Amino acid sequence: MSWLRRVWPVVAVMLATVALGYPVALLFGLPLARQRMNDLSNWTSQTVAAQPVARVPTTPSTLTFASAPASGVLVRDGAPLASPYRQDGDTVQLGAPLARPAVTLGAALRGPLDAAGLVYRLPAAADTGEPLYLNGTLLHAGAIQSHERADGRVTTFTFDAASGPVAVGDRVLIQGRDYRAKGDKVVFANPPDFNVDVRRITGDYAVLDAAKGIVALARPAGAAPRLGVDAVRLAERLAGAVNGSNRTFTLAHAPLVRTDPSRQVYLDGTALSSAPERPRERVDGQRARFTFASSRGLVTVDGQLMSPGTQYTRDGPVVTFTQPPRRNAEVRQYRDYLVSDVRAGTITLATPPKPGSVVWAANYTYYARPACGTTVMQCFASMPQHPVPFPNWIAARVVPYVSHYPITDQRNIVRGVLYTTAGTVSALLLGGAFGVLLAVLFVFLRPLEQALLPWVIASQTIPIIALVPVLLLILGNVGITVQTSLIPTALIGAYIAFFPVTVGTVTGLRSVDPLALDLMTSYAANPFQVFVKVRFPAAVPFLFTSLKLGTAAALVGALVAETESNNRRGLGYDIVGQVQAGNVSDLWILLLISAALGIGLVALVGLIQRFTAPWDRP
Amino acid sequence: MTGSLRSVLAGARRQRPTWPALAGLALALAGLFGPLSAGGPDTLARLGAWPLLVLLVAALLALDGRLGSSAALAPLALLGAYLSLLGQRALAGPGAWGYWTAFWGFVLASLAAFGRVSLTSLRADAPAFDKRLQRILPVAMVPLVVLLLWEGLVVGYRVPLGIFPRVSDIASALVTSWPVLLQDSYVTFVKEVLLGFAIGLATGYLAGVAVAGSRFLQRGFLPLATAFGAVPIVGLAPVLGRAFGVDWQSKAAVVVIVTFFPVVLNTVQGLTRVDPLQLELLHAYAATPRQVFAALRFPNSLPFVFNALKISVVVSIVSVIVAEFLIPGPPNGLGQRISLSAHRGAFDVVFAAIFVSSVISMILYGTIMAIERLTTSWHPSSRGS
């Protein structure tokens, strides 16, 4: 029971330390996770598009849409419809019948082309943007990519969705024969080809190959889908007063993607451009007059909107600033509009629209949510490289890491540990022998000690480890590399380990009982006998204490030698590899392994002390 | 007057000439007329009168044989070696017999004089100057001899700079790149070592006080803290580099950890290993725990803490340099300088950086010793020496 009383506090403190790992991990990780979450470039983007009618209307006065914007505009061919209408949720009541039908069903798709009855071909490849109707109902496009990239070898793929047919390239695979699905994981019988798209169809259909016009349905259909031609769409009306003076309008979804090639904003029937124009002249810090391509638009300097009249004056395409922009400033002109506030989703038009006109967006992309998750904790959990991982994550990596390479492989961690141990032990033997020899010389040759010992002590403050790269290069020049021998490791470790041994042994050899020395003198013992019978036994406890210090030093030396040398063996090399790969959990495992190795080697020295010098138990 | 002269003469007669030194000088003289290098036609005599003059003075000192003359001879012979051989910037080939004979002759003469000074057993009534000479000269001579041998061998074997630099290369590297080295030392020592040291000391002492106050923590924490001494920095540094970034903060964190554990261990020892009699006396005075701490435990812990600081200042400098090897960040700091210079073969800069860092660490070590002497002069350990 006494051992329990000794061990239990140690276990308790260890457990407390492990528990402390969680708040520490959060302390270091949460700021990074928050940063990651706030960075818009890590967000998933989503596209808003004008909706085609969801069902081919049976009554000509009511149109139904799948998911309508709060305030919509009925458009056809890039212009709002002239006839009056009223939107009520997802339905639109027409005040007057349309001149042409809301949607005309065009040609049926050719197919099905495969056995499962899912793959069809569009009449022409250019039709991929047109809506598809099946039995008069609109089909929604939707497919997601796999997390993994097909490299020609991987057979297991993960998706964000757990159901839906799986398509590889322009083929839809058959479950059971070509693949087995288990939740969000899909295991293929044959690995997909290099770089081919592996997708899962989550909507009603997906365009598999836009160039060939190949689409795949999610479910087999009795009839072939048909193209909707000349369809009326419901687009988003931008919020903002149209009173002849207001120029700022707000989109329904934000934050916006600033340079979004798909964004299409219209003022009535004209498409507005947000492409920036550069001045013809160089911005050299002195010039104030700049010439642009078009003679109207919003002028910005370094992203700041300039106000006409006070900050610049315009004469056709020539803009004259009252203050010359600084050298290399970004001077831009936006002819129609610019995104003035990405976060709020606000755009500013160059000229205020006249009353009665409509500003609407046919298509645009916005950042829907952070890709890592909706809460900071989710982002923290999904971080690829944690500064400090949770202890259980480290624990979960232990078995895969240790068993990653078979024992026959040189990179196996057990072999790495053995290699480092061999280096450390040889360093310790070499350094210990040299240290003891030096100490004995010092004790017998007093002048030598007088001359050298102060420098030996002072040299402890020299960062000898700094010589490791030098020593390795020199040894490499002589033809001794770590690949072929343990010599560099042993030399470097010995170089570091011998100091404590020398200092400790000298102290020990001097710490002799003066009475014992007197006794030896009265026995007329020669110096050798005095050494063997009195001095050496007195020095042994000191020797072992300093050997323990030397062991830790030799291990550091061996590990540094391994990190600096370019061989592929040992713990030190593993550490460098994991640093470069950024596997923090594996680094922690290596830290624990090297700590255990250090503690074990020191304990081993203690054990040897117990057996060889039992007269002095520490 | 005559009496004193006679006693001086008698004293001089008691001193034998330093024969080994004379032999060495004779060798050097022979070497001075030999060929300088294996490849070229040079002879050492080309060097002019200076080596010969030094040799002559050295011979006179060796003949005199008194302790003071030998003490003067030792550095003078080294100077002779330096003048005659190392004034050579470029040898045409590896050193020939003239070079080596003159070099080893001078070194032998110096070592003989050196041995004479340190091996002579002085009587108790010997002059105080001689005694001091005997104490100081050997210590002062060792680095000079080492540096000279280094330079002489590197020059003699024509070792290229890319393999091992000369001492003079290092000296000129120190001169040319001292602004960079100064900046690196600022980063390494002020930002990383001193800051980490201060934090490690403060937190370590507080943790030590906490641990010393509880038997449970002593049992549980001390074995782990002892074991932590065996954790190699090589494993620790990359992990800290992840947590604190690659700039100086992670290296300061390494220093904090390296300082923390020795300070905790020694503080606990210092706080708990108090004289029971003194403790009882304070109890008899009805001292509060705070008073016991202020009057007994705190002063008692100081020598232990300084002991820990002396250990950890050395370890932390080594650790910082290893950490700078392993966490390559912005190229500041002596460790980074060493690593970068070593990889492009600029070993003169490497050794200059090592020299700067050891000078600064010796200053740090000395400062800690001085503070220790000031604050714990009452303690038996400093009374003894």
Side-chain angles (χ1 to χ4, degrees), chain B residues 249-271:
Chain B
Q249 289 91 340
S250 53
K251 288 109 183 181
V254 170
V255 177
V256 169
I257 288 188
V258 166
T259 314
F260 179 81
F261 286 97
V263 170
V264 170
L265 285 177
N266 280 277
T267 306
V268 171
Q269 278 197 349
L271 290 174

Side-chain angles (χ1 to χ4, degrees), chain B residues 310-369:
Chain B
K310 281 192 278 184
I311 298 171
S312 54
V313 77
V314 174
V315 178
S316 59
I317 288 160
V318 172
S319 314
V320 150
I321 291 195
V322 173
E324 288 190 13
F325 284 179
L326 291 173
I327 318 172
N332 309 314
L334 286 172
Q336 293 261 35
R337 182 72 48 217
I338 289 167
S339 177
L340 293 175
S341 307
H343 284 297
R344 59 188 177 85
F347 288 129
D348 46 349
V349 181
V350 172
F351 279 94
I354 290 174
F355 177 77
V356 170
S357 68
S358 27
V359 166
I360 296 179
S361 50
M362 277 179 212
I363 292 172
L364 281 183
Y365 195 82
T367 313
I368 289 175
M369 290 233 290

Side-chain angles (χ1 to χ4, degrees), chain A residues 5-6 8-10 12-14 17 28 385-388 447 450-452 454-455 457-470 473-474 477 552 555-556 559-560 563-564 572 575-576 579 582 584 587-588 591 594-595 598-599 602, chain B residues 114 118-119 134-135 138-143 162-164 216-217 219-221 223-224 227-236 238-239 242-244 314 317-318 321-322 325-326 328 338-339 342-343 345 347 350-351 354 357-358 361-362 365:
Chain A
R5 211 175 302 148
R6 267 215 345 262
W8 135 245
V10 178
V13 171
M14 275 170 97
T17 314
F28 282 111
Q385 288 190 18
H386 285 267
V388 181
Q450 268 185 341
L452 286 183
W455 292 107
I457 292 171
S459 69
Q460 289 211 43
T461 61
I462 300 178
I464 281 165
I465 213 123
L467 285 173
V468 169
V470 182
L473 277 165
I474 291 169
N477 277 329
L555 179 59
V556 172
L559 286 173
V560 172
T563 57
E564 290 287 317
I575 289 173
V576 172
V579 168
V584 190
L587 261 182
W588 276 86
L591 166 66
S594 51
I599 293 164
V602 171
Chain B
F114 174 30
S118 50
L119 289 175
Q134 198 171 32
R135 236 193 14 255
V139 178
M141 283 291 293
V142 167
I163 294 182
F164 211 74
F216 181 82
L217 278 183
R219 284 215 186 118
F221 190 78
L224 287 177
F228 207 89
V231 174
I233 307 118
V234 188
L236 195 65
V239 166
R242 273 269 155 241
F244 289 94
V314 174
I317 288 160
V318 172
I321 291 195
V322 173
F325 284 179
L326 291 173
I338 289 167
S339 177
H343 284 297
F347 288 129
V350 172
F351 279 94
I354 290 174
S357 68
S358 27
S361 50
M362 277 179 212
Y365 195 82

